[in-house]
Amino acid sequence: MYRKGKLTGLVAVFIVMCLVFTGCGSSQKEEKKAPEGAFITVENQTGKDITALQIRKTGDQDFGDSLLVKDKTIKNEKKSKVKFQKKAFTKKQKKQAFDIQLTYSDGSTATLSEVPLADVKKSMTIQTGDDVTYVSYTSKKSGDKTDTKDAELKIKAAADAAQQQAAAAASQQASSTASTTQRQTGGSGSTGAASTGSSGSSGASGQAASDDKCVDPNEDVYN
C-alpha cells in the first residue's frame, strides 16, 4: 500500500514538472516570435536630407520620437535601415495605417498619410511628385509594387478645397462687415444734414421775427 501511494505521488510530480516545462517552452517561443521592433530599409528620393522620421497611428494627434538614431541623417538618394516599433507589425495592426512625419535639414516638414507599415516588404522609397510626398513599396500581401501617391493627391485636393472655402467665407464676411459699416455711416450723414437744414430754417424764422420787431414807433403803419 505504501509503495503504491509513493508511486502515485511520483507520477503526480512528473505530470506537474511536464506542465511547468511545457509552459516555459511555449513562453520562450512566444518571446522569440515577438521582436522588439522590425527594420525597414528607407530610401530617400525627396531631394532633401531627412533628419527626423516620426510615426503615429492615423487618427492620433501626436507623433512619437524620431526613429532615426541620434545625429543620424538619411541623405538624399541614399538608403538607411530604420527600426520601427513592434506595435506597427503585430497581427492586430495589419489593417492599421500610420502617418509618417519627415523633418528635412532645412527645417521644413512633410507628412505621409495612411501608410500600411505592416504590409511593407523589407523596404520602401520616400519620394515626391505633383506637389506631394508619398511612399512606394512592395506589398507583402499581394507581392505587387504599389504606392500611396493617389491617396496623397486626394488628401491634398481635399485640403486645398477646404482652404479655398475658408478663404471665400472670410472674404464674404469682410465684405458684409464693410457694407454694414458703410450703411451706418451714410445714415448718420443724412441725419446730420437734416439737422443742419432744420437749424437753418429756425435761424431764418428767428431773423424774420427779429425784422418784424424792428419797426419805427413813429412810423404810421397805416399810411
Side-chain angles (χ1 to χ4, degrees), residues 121-134:
K121 186 177 180 180
K122 295 183 179 180
S123 65
M124 64 183 184
T125 300
I126 301 175
Q127 54 199 105
T128 58
D130 296 330
D131 294 327
V132 296
T133 304
Y134 62 97

Side-chain angles (χ1 to χ4, degrees), residues 196-212:
T196 302
S198 177
S199 298
S201 298
S202 299
S205 299
Q207 183 64 39
S210 178
D211 291 344
D212 289 343

Side-chain angles (χ1 to χ4, degrees), residues 155-165:
I155 293 172
K156 181 179 183 299
D160 290 345
Q163 188 175 6
Q164 290 176 359
Q165 289 179 355

